[in-house]
Amino acid sequence: RALRAMAKVITRKVSLDEVAKHNTKNDAWIVIDNVVYDITQFGRSHPGGSIIYQYAGEDATDPFYAFHYGSGANKRLGMLRIGDLDTPIRVSPLVSDFRALRDEVERKGMMNATVSTTIQSWWGYFFLYFLALALFLYLPYSWVSLVFCAALFGFSWGQGGFVQHDLGHNSSFTKASKYNYPFHVFIFNGMMGGSADWWRGRHTRHHAYPNHADTDLDVRTLPLFAWDDQQLNMAFQKGLTNLKYQQWYFTFFGPPLIFVFYRILTLMWTIRNRMMGELATQIFWIVWQAALLLPKMEYNIFAYFAWHMIVLLASGTYLGWVFALNHTMFPVVRGPKDKDWVRSTCDATQNIVSSNSAIQAWLDWFTGHLDYQVEHHLFPNMPRVYYPTLHKMLKPILQKHGVPLHESPFWTAVGQVFATLKNASDKGVKLAKEAAASKRAAKQDQASVVDSDKSAVNNTRKTASLLR
């Protein structure tokens, strides 16, 4: 009903220059397939969140199809239509070839989930999840069994992170399926204590402009880490000198703590936004975990707390490193968002590769196929088991147009993460020293001026005294 109320019956020709003027949250037009839409009101109820306004005044054709394959969004757009562009946009040969690739993968059915693709993506999570619980419940209770089973349970959460990621991208069930969201809530909230709605809002921002300092919340990691000299300089201005050593403590306070922080952020978001349904599923998770585990732990609250901390640290270490290798191997992206969808994606993401086919197959499973991060960001709704095939189709197109495809072996990517942290730290320290030296020089100049003024005053007094 709200969409019908916002429906536009105006049909006219609109210039791209006119569209560009409507580029704010309170006055937002976008272009999709050379058709102009007014999303000003709709953006406030947009299922993907307010990130839609980031494309205001622009051509959003490629992001639209990346995020909305099979979602029925085309029907909603019809009610927001203003008119057509007076002159169709002439896309670059790269974008033209990319759109042809998108049409090809759709024709081949690679955008549609099947029972087979879902089983291939889910089996590792459920196997490890229930194996860890079964071992803990049936092995003799001890601190050794608790630590081992909790760590294995945390590892299963790593695989579970990939499963909920699939569901969040609507890629576990067939297009336009209504099952992706309820399964997302059940698995992420009910089985892992997370928040599907919180995650979707945050992750959509990440995909819109990955690694961009103004948009991507995942690279806003102050006060613990800075990914370029500007972030570090901001930290120094606030007195956060600990970042001089960030490359040394990242291993201990970076990935391991990510899920601990996510727990806190999720709870704060749920309470602040009064998401009672989300809160209910999280309480359900606490209750069933306590009912299952506490009797085995002889109702030792400390042991129960230790279990969950080990789970969070293990899963955070696992997933934190997987995502770091794909994204934080470079400094954050800054400046205008004026590149096309393909180039902006390739600039900010990286694949993890191996020349050994067996190792590559293991990496595919271990990373939830997110070792093909470039492919994932270009086709986020695609079932991930198709990414190796897509890689072979995409690579020649990028080579043809001279677009760099960042690919690194696993340990090289690990080194790149530390190098990014160190470079940011070194540049930030240098800038801080230069700022401090400039400040000291300014004070010295000011002091010299004051001394000069005092000397002039004294000389004037002496002259006046002699004249008297």
Side-chain angles (χ1 to χ4, degrees), residues 385-400:
V385 298
Y386 291 128
Y387 286 147
T389 302
L390 175 63
H391 177 74
K392 296 175 183 177
M393 301 166 70
L394 174 67
K395 193 170 183 177
I397 294 175
L398 299 181
Q399 290 175 337
K400 172 184 174 182

Side-chain angles (χ1 to χ4, degrees), residues 143 146-147 150 297 300-313:
W143 277 102
L146 184 148
V147 171
M297 297 174 179
N300 185 329
I301 299 300
F302 176 76
Y304 184 67
F305 176 77
W307 167 279
H308 286 293
M309 284 305 299
I310 294 169
V311 170
L312 291 174
L313 293 172

Side-chain angles (χ1 to χ4, degrees), residues 125 129 184-194 281-282 284-286 288-289:
Y125 168 55
Y129 190 96
H184 193 193
V185 173
F186 176 75
I187 289 177
F188 195 38
N189 296 32
M191 295 181 67
M192 299 171 65
T281 58
Q282 292 166 23
F284 165 75
W285 171 75
I286 293 172
W288 82 256
Q289 287 266 292

